[in-house]
Amino acid sequence: MKRMLMAATCGLTMILASGASTAQDESQGLSSDYVKVGVLSDMSGVYKALEGPGAVVAAQMAIDDFGGSVLGKPIKLVSSDHQNKPAVASSTARQWIDRENVDMITGLDNSAVGLAVQGLASDKGVITMNTGSGTTELTESQCTEYGIHYVYDTYSLPVGTATAIVKNGGETWFFITADYAFGHSLEDNTSMVVENLGGKVVGGVEAPLGTTDFASYLIQAKASGADVIALANAGSDTVNAIKQANSFGIVEQGQQMAGMLVFLTDVKALGLETAQGLQFTTAFYWDRSDEARKWSQRFFEKHGAMPTMVQAGVYSATLSYLEAVKKAGTDDADAVREVLGDMTINDMFVQGGDILPNGLMTHDMYLVKAKSPEQSEGPWDLLEVVATIPGEKAFIPLSESACQLLDK
C-alpha cells in the first residue's frame, strides 16, 4: 500500500510538472505575463484628426484580428496624448517602459516627439514603430537599433508631388514651413527635388506649429511671385493655410498651392470645392484595393471616419510586430527586430514592404489628386490615384543612407 501511494504521488507530481513545463515553454520568451503595445499620439492638437484617437482604434483592431493573445499570453494596449511636446512624450515613454512593461511604441506623430522617444526607447532596448513622424533623421543621422520608420518620410513625399508639379510648369517655389524638425526636413528634401529638376526656390518663411493666422505668411508668399507656394506643414496647419489662401484669392490670381503633406482628413475638412485638383503623395488610400476597402469600412464603423495613411499604418505596424513576436517566440527586442528585418509585409496597407537595417520600411507610394465635387460619388470618395511610385524610387536608397548602423 505504501509503495502504491508513493507511485501515485510520483505520477501526479510528474503530470503537474509536465503541465507547468508546457505552460512555461509556451511563453518562455516573454518578459512579463502579457505583451503590451503603446500608442503615443496627438489626441487633442493639430494632428488629432490624422492620427490621434483613430490610431488607438486601429491598434485595437490589429490586436483583436490577431486573436487577442500571443504565445499564450494576453495582448494589452495603452495610449496617451504627447501634446506635441517631446518632454511630455519622453516622460510617458519612460514610465511605460520602466513601470508598465510596454514592449513596443507606435504612433508618434510629430518629428521632435518621434526623435526623442525613439532615442529613449532604443537606449532601453524597446522597439518603436513610428507611423506619424516625417523626418528622415529617424533612419539617417539619428537611426537606432530598435527604431523603425513605417509609413512615409520627408524624402518620399516630394518625390511624387514636387516632381509632378515641376514637370507641369511649377518652376519657382516659396515655402511656408512649420518651424520644427519635420517642417525643416520636408522643406530641405522638397527643395532638393525641385532644384534637381531645374526648378528654383525663391524664398520661404517659418510659421509656429499650431498657428491659426497665416495671413502675414501668405502675403509674403504672394509677394514673392513664385509659381508654387509650398506648405511644409501638416494637419490643421495645412487646412488653415489653404483655406486662408483661398479667401485671399491666391490660386485665382495664378499661383499654385502645394500641400507637401496632406491627409485624407485634410481634404475632407477643406471640402472638394476648395481642395479639387490638389495633388499630393500618400502611402495609403482607402479605396485603392478590395482589401483596403473592406478594412477601411470596418475602421469607419468604429471611428466614424475613413482612415488616413498613418492610422492604417498603425494597424499594419501593430500586426507586423505581433507576428514577429510569435515567430521569434519571445518579446526580446533583438530577436523581434531580427524577425521584422526578415519579413516581407503584405496586408491591407502595403504589398511587398521591407524593413531595412537602418529601420526604414520601404514600399510603394501613390500620387493622388483631389476630385471635383462632380466626380465624387460619396462623402469619402475624395481622391483618385494618379500614379504609383515604386518603393525603390520613393525612399532613400540604402547605399546612400547616412545611418551609422550600416558601418557595423
Side-chain angles (χ1 to χ4, degrees), residues 9 12 66 84 93 162 171 185 191 241 274 297 359 370 372 389 393 403:
T9 302
L12 179 60
F66 195 79
N84 288 300
E171 296 182 359
S185 181
S191 298
T274 299
Q297 186 58 47
S372 68
I389 307 160
K393 293 184 178 180
C403 175

Side-chain angles (χ1 to χ4, degrees), residues 62-141:
I63 291 169
D64 293 342
D65 289 349
F66 195 79
S69 66
V70 60
L71 302 176
K73 295 297 181 179
I75 304 165
K76 297 185 178 183
L77 179 65
V78 64
S79 63
S80 187
D81 185 355
H82 59 54
Q83 302 174 37
N84 288 300
K85 298 176 181 178
V88 171
S90 296
S91 176
T92 301
R94 185 176 290 106
Q95 177 176 320
W96 280 358
I97 295 167
D98 292 347
R99 301 180 186 177
E100 300 183 35
N101 299 313
V102 167
D103 298 288
M104 187 273 281
I105 300 174
T106 189
L108 304 170
D109 48 341
N110 181 306
S111 290
V113 163
L115 289 168
V117 173
Q118 176 174 283
L120 181 149
S122 285
D123 287 345
K124 293 178 176 290
V126 170
I127 290 173
T128 52
M129 301 183 76
N130 193 309
T131 57
S133 301
T135 180
T136 54
E137 295 309 297
L138 287 162
T139 55
E140 291 296 301
S141 66

Side-chain angles (χ1 to χ4, degrees), residues 76 114 186 217:
K76 297 185 178 183
L186 184 52
Y217 312 119

Side-chain angles (χ1 to χ4, degrees), residues 46-64:
V46 295
Y47 302 144
K48 176 183 177 181
L50 63 90
E51 192 169 79
V56 182
V57 171
Q60 188 61 59
M61 286 177 66
I63 291 169
D64 293 342

Side-chain angles (χ1 to χ4, degrees), residues 1 7 18 24 77 98 123 138 145 153-155 175 180 183 191 207 212 215 288 297 301 306 308 311 326 336 339 389:
M1 179 67 71
S18 175
Q24 185 177 14
L77 179 65
D98 292 347
D123 287 345
L138 287 162
E145 280 188 89
D153 64 21
T154 55
Y155 181 96
F175 284 89
Y180 78 111
S191 298
T212 57
R288 189 184 60 81
Q297 186 58 47
E301 290 167 0
M306 284 298 183
T308 64
Q311 289 164 341
K326 180 180 178 181
V336 174
V339 172
I389 307 160

